[in-house]
Amino acid sequence: NISEDGDEQDADFGWGYNWGGGFTFYFSKSLGVGADVMVDKHSAAFVGTFPAPLDISYTSKITFNTLDIPMMFKIKGESSGSFLELGAQYSMFNAVNYHSEVNGTNSDSNVKDKFTSTSIAGILGLGMNMDLNKRLVVQAGLRFEYGFTDVKGVDGLGQDLSNSLLYPLVYDKYQPSRLVGVGLFLG
């Protein structure tokens, strides 16, 4: 819905972070399984301008606080330390807040009830293990996440995407909302 709405709602960069712990069990020199438990805070950001005669610009941000549990199958190089991970992530939404600024006026609201309570996403990761000694390893890499489930929610203007009155008045038809992300990790 949002990606096709024009100048009234343009996606902007949303940032976030997560922290937590995990483990990986390798059942051979190059094949293993792993799981993490991560506390996550990330955002979806928007900028827009209402058309004439209003000509009013705004910014908005939806901030998600989630508990994420990625479970992955891992393949690592026997000598290089590089690895590939592929799996799924289960996310539980703990809090979702909407913030907007229009002409210097700020507005905040709790919109958790507009979103689903959980989400499932696919994960693809690429990384490198660097052995410091026999028992201590530094790990760094990149993870891509794509949500399979419709998280519903609100648009960049804070409008409930599950509200059937928005269709076809504002949007041509309902489109599912999916979480998508790319992140660096270090552990």
Side-chain angles (χ1 to χ4, degrees):
N1 296 307
I2 297 163
S3 64
E4 298 176 358
D5 202 35
D7 291 340
E8 287 183 30
Q9 291 189 74
D10 284 330
D12 200 5
F13 282 106
W15 302 97
Y17 62 88
N18 62 19
W19 59 272
F23 73 91
T24 300
F25 174 75
Y26 284 96
F27 43 85
S28 75
K29 287 187 175 192
S30 59
L31 298 175
V33 292
D36 299 337
V37 175
M38 309 295 287
V39 175
D40 183 65
K41 182 175 185 172
H42 63 276
S43 63
F46 306 92
V47 296
T49 302
F50 297 109
L54 297 176
D55 290 325
I56 298 172
S57 296
Y58 75 94
T59 61
S60 66
K61 179 169 61 172
I62 304 166
T63 303
F64 302 88
N65 292 315
T66 63
L67 180 66
D68 299 335
I69 304 171
M71 295 163 280
M72 295 154 292
F73 178 71
K74 295 192 177 196
I75 302 169
K76 72 174 181 171
E78 291 185 31
S79 60
S80 69
S82 61
F83 64 88
L84 171 75
E85 55 189 13
L86 183 64
Q89 176 172 283
Y90 179 74
S91 298
M92 293 171 274
F93 294 86
N94 298 322
V96 185
N97 295 298
Y98 174 81
H99 172 83
S100 67
E101 183 178 329
V102 181
N103 285 344
T105 303
N106 292 311
S107 174
D108 291 286
S109 58
N110 178 347
V111 292
K112 184 176 186 272
D113 63 330
K114 308 293 186 236
F115 285 81
T116 60
S117 58
T118 62
S119 173
I120 303 273
I123 293 202
L124 172 66
L126 307 165
M128 176 74 74
N129 291 322
M130 295 158 275
D131 295 334
L132 297 180
N133 60 37
K134 285 187 175 186
R135 300 219 187 304
L136 189 59
V137 175
V138 173
Q139 190 178 77
L142 186 63
R143 277 190 183 160
F144 302 90
E145 172 186 339
Y146 180 79
F148 296 129
T149 54
D150 180 3
V151 295
K152 305 203 185 300
V154 298
D155 64 11
L157 298 169
Q159 300 298 312
D160 184 353
L161 292 173
S162 295
N163 181 348
S164 60
L165 295 177
L166 291 176
Y167 309 97
L169 295 176
V170 177
Y171 300 111
D172 293 335
K173 62 181 180 173
Y174 181 78
Q175 300 287 328
S177 297
R178 303 182 194 286
L179 298 179
V180 177
V182 175
L184 300 171
F185 66 87
L186 180 66

